[in-house]
PDB file of all heavy atoms in Angstrom:
ATOM      1  N   HIS A   5     -53.004  72.640  42.415  1.00  0.00           N
ATOM      2  CA  HIS A   5     -54.260  71.988  42.083  1.00  0.00           C
ATOM      3  C   HIS A   5     -54.767  71.260  43.317  1.00  0.00           C
ATOM      4  O   HIS A   5     -54.025  70.557  43.987  1.00  0.00           O
ATOM      5  CB  HIS A   5     -53.997  70.984  40.946  1.00  0.00           C
ATOM      6  CG  HIS A   5     -55.205  70.175  40.604  1.00  0.00           C
ATOM      7  ND1 HIS A   5     -56.157  70.627  39.715  1.00  0.00           N
ATOM      8  CD2 HIS A   5     -55.631  68.965  41.046  1.00  0.00           C
ATOM      9  CE1 HIS A   5     -57.119  69.719  39.617  1.00  0.00           C
ATOM     10  NE2 HIS A   5     -56.819  68.708  40.410  1.00  0.00           N
ATOM     11  N   LYS A 145     -82.499  70.675  48.572  1.00  0.00           N
ATOM     12  CA  LYS A 145     -83.017  72.010  48.291  1.00  0.00           C
ATOM     13  C   LYS A 145     -82.546  73.051  49.295  1.00  0.00           C
ATOM     14  O   LYS A 145     -82.833  74.229  49.144  1.00  0.00           O
ATOM     15  CB  LYS A 145     -84.550  71.977  48.368  1.00  0.00           C
ATOM     16  CG  LYS A 145     -85.202  71.140  47.311  1.00  0.00           C
ATOM     17  CD  LYS A 145     -85.583  71.976  46.140  1.00  0.00           C
ATOM     18  CE  LYS A 145     -85.921  71.121  44.947  1.00  0.00           C
ATOM     19  NZ  LYS A 145     -86.219  71.899  43.766  1.00  0.00           N
ATOM     20  N   ASN A 188     -72.210  69.834  50.508  1.00  0.00           N
ATOM     21  CA  ASN A 188     -71.808  69.348  49.190  1.00  0.00           C
ATOM     22  C   ASN A 188     -71.030  68.042  49.211  1.00  0.00           C
ATOM     23  O   ASN A 188     -70.517  67.609  48.194  1.00  0.00           O
ATOM     24  CB  ASN A 188     -70.975  70.420  48.479  1.00  0.00           C
ATOM     25  CG  ASN A 188     -71.851  71.558  47.984  1.00  0.00           C
ATOM     26  OD1 ASN A 188     -73.016  71.343  47.634  1.00  0.00           O
ATOM     27  ND2 ASN A 188     -71.311  72.768  47.972  1.00  0.00           N
ATOM     28  N   ASP A 193     -67.688  60.650  49.809  1.00  0.00           N
ATOM     29  CA  ASP A 193     -66.690  61.685  50.113  1.00  0.00           C
ATOM     30  C   ASP A 193     -66.301  61.621  51.584  1.00  0.00           C
ATOM     31  O   ASP A 193     -65.125  61.743  51.943  1.00  0.00           O
ATOM     32  CB  ASP A 193     -67.242  63.093  49.831  1.00  0.00           C
ATOM     33  CG  ASP A 193     -67.593  63.306  48.372  1.00  0.00           C
ATOM     34  OD1 ASP A 193     -67.031  62.612  47.511  1.00  0.00           O
ATOM     35  OD2 ASP A 193     -68.448  64.170  48.096  1.00  0.00           O
ATOM     36  N   ARG A 275     -75.915  49.135  45.838  1.00  0.00           N
ATOM     37  CA  ARG A 275     -76.889  49.746  44.948  1.00  0.00           C
ATOM     38  C   ARG A 275     -78.033  50.352  45.756  1.00  0.00           C
ATOM     39  O   ARG A 275     -79.076  50.655  45.224  1.00  0.00           O
ATOM     40  CB  ARG A 275     -77.424  48.717  43.936  1.00  0.00           C
ATOM     41  CG  ARG A 275     -76.352  48.048  43.082  1.00  0.00           C
ATOM     42  CD  ARG A 275     -75.584  49.018  42.191  1.00  0.00           C
ATOM     43  NE  ARG A 275     -76.463  49.765  41.316  1.00  0.00           N
ATOM     44  CZ  ARG A 275     -76.268  51.036  40.990  1.00  0.00           C
ATOM     45  NH1 ARG A 275     -75.251  51.697  41.486  1.00  0.00           N
ATOM     46  NH2 ARG A 275     -77.099  51.646  40.179  1.00  0.00           N
ATOM     47  N   ASP A 295     -91.274  67.366  55.978  1.00  0.00           N
ATOM     48  CA  ASP A 295     -92.224  67.719  57.034  1.00  0.00           C
ATOM     49  C   ASP A 295     -91.520  67.916  58.367  1.00  0.00           C
ATOM     50  O   ASP A 295     -91.822  68.847  59.111  1.00  0.00           O
ATOM     51  CB  ASP A 295     -93.304  66.642  57.142  1.00  0.00           C
ATOM     52  CG  ASP A 295     -94.183  66.604  55.894  1.00  0.00           C
ATOM     53  OD1 ASP A 295     -94.159  67.590  55.139  1.00  0.00           O
ATOM     54  OD2 ASP A 295     -94.860  65.591  55.677  1.00  0.00           O
TER      55      ASP A 295
ATOM     56  N   ILE B  32     -81.055  51.599  43.880  1.00  0.00           N
ATOM     57  CA  ILE B  32     -82.271  50.810  43.702  1.00  0.00           C
ATOM     58  C   ILE B  32     -83.469  51.360  44.473  1.00  0.00           C
ATOM     59  O   ILE B  32     -84.573  51.455  43.943  1.00  0.00           O
ATOM     60  CB  ILE B  32     -82.013  49.338  44.119  1.00  0.00           C
ATOM     61  CG1 ILE B  32     -81.052  48.696  43.123  1.00  0.00           C
ATOM     62  CG2 ILE B  32     -83.312  48.539  44.142  1.00  0.00           C
ATOM     63  CD1 ILE B  32     -80.496  47.374  43.582  1.00  0.00           C
ATOM     64  N   ARG B  60     -92.759  68.731  48.382  1.00  0.00           N
ATOM     65  CA  ARG B  60     -94.155  68.357  48.267  1.00  0.00           C
ATOM     66  C   ARG B  60     -94.877  69.235  47.234  1.00  0.00           C
ATOM     67  O   ARG B  60     -95.543  68.738  46.330  1.00  0.00           O
ATOM     68  CB  ARG B  60     -94.808  68.566  49.631  1.00  0.00           C
ATOM     69  CG  ARG B  60     -95.992  67.723  49.927  1.00  0.00           C
ATOM     70  CD  ARG B  60     -96.534  68.160  51.280  1.00  0.00           C
ATOM     71  NE  ARG B  60     -96.093  67.302  52.376  1.00  0.00           N
ATOM     72  CZ  ARG B  60     -96.650  66.138  52.662  1.00  0.00           C
ATOM     73  NH1 ARG B  60     -97.613  65.662  51.933  1.00  0.00           N
ATOM     74  NH2 ARG B  60     -96.240  65.409  53.681  1.00  0.00           N
ATOM     75  N   GLU B  62     -93.661  70.916  44.870  1.00  0.00           N
ATOM     76  CA  GLU B  62     -93.154  70.724  43.511  1.00  0.00           C
ATOM     77  C   GLU B  62     -93.799  69.515  42.868  1.00  0.00           C
ATOM     78  O   GLU B  62     -94.157  69.531  41.694  1.00  0.00           O
ATOM     79  CB  GLU B  62     -91.638  70.545  43.540  1.00  0.00           C
ATOM     80  CG  GLU B  62     -90.912  71.803  43.951  1.00  0.00           C
ATOM     81  CD  GLU B  62     -89.412  71.619  43.995  1.00  0.00           C
ATOM     82  OE1 GLU B  62     -88.953  70.539  44.425  1.00  0.00           O
ATOM     83  OE2 GLU B  62     -88.706  72.546  43.629  1.00  0.00           O
ATOM     84  N   TYR B  75     -75.596  65.286  43.080  1.00  0.00           N
ATOM     85  CA  TYR B  75     -74.200  64.867  43.083  1.00  0.00           C
ATOM     86  C   TYR B  75     -74.064  63.569  42.332  1.00  0.00           C
ATOM     87  O   TYR B  75     -74.875  62.668  42.513  1.00  0.00           O
ATOM     88  CB  TYR B  75     -73.737  64.674  44.529  1.00  0.00           C
ATOM     89  CG  TYR B  75     -73.963  65.930  45.320  1.00  0.00           C
ATOM     90  CD1 TYR B  75     -75.198  66.201  45.890  1.00  0.00           C
ATOM     91  CD2 TYR B  75     -72.969  66.885  45.415  1.00  0.00           C
ATOM     92  CE1 TYR B  75     -75.440  67.390  46.552  1.00  0.00           C
ATOM     93  CE2 TYR B  75     -73.198  68.075  46.083  1.00  0.00           C
ATOM     94  CZ  TYR B  75     -74.431  68.322  46.645  1.00  0.00           C
ATOM     95  OH  TYR B  75     -74.658  69.511  47.290  1.00  0.00           O
ATOM     96  N   LYS B  82     -65.920  64.162  39.757  1.00  0.00           N
ATOM     97  CA  LYS B  82     -67.069  64.315  40.635  1.00  0.00           C
ATOM     98  C   LYS B  82     -67.849  65.534  40.130  1.00  0.00           C
ATOM     99  O   LYS B  82     -67.255  66.530  39.740  1.00  0.00           O
ATOM    100  CB  LYS B  82     -66.579  64.553  42.054  1.00  0.00           C
ATOM    101  CG  LYS B  82     -67.681  64.715  43.067  1.00  0.00           C
ATOM    102  CD  LYS B  82     -67.088  65.051  44.433  1.00  0.00           C
ATOM    103  CE  LYS B  82     -68.141  65.669  45.328  1.00  0.00           C
ATOM    104  NZ  LYS B  82     -69.174  64.730  45.768  1.00  0.00           N
ATOM    105  N   ASP B 211     -58.976  73.212  34.855  1.00  0.00           N
ATOM    106  CA  ASP B 211     -57.842  73.537  35.715  1.00  0.00           C
ATOM    107  C   ASP B 211     -57.460  75.009  35.609  1.00  0.00           C
ATOM    108  O   ASP B 211     -57.046  75.634  36.581  1.00  0.00           O
ATOM    109  CB  ASP B 211     -56.659  72.660  35.326  1.00  0.00           C
ATOM    110  CG  ASP B 211     -55.901  72.194  36.548  1.00  0.00           C
ATOM    111  OD1 ASP B 211     -56.535  72.110  37.618  1.00  0.00           O
ATOM    112  OD2 ASP B 211     -54.690  71.952  36.434  1.00  0.00           O
TER     113      ASP B 211
END
Side-chain angles (χ1 to χ4, degrees):
Chain A
H5 175 86
K145 294 266 166 183
N188 286 329
D193 298 336
R275 303 297 303 143
D295 293 343
Chain B
I32 292 167
R60 207 184 262 280
E62 292 179 321
Y75 304 84
K82 181 184 161 70
D211 220 27

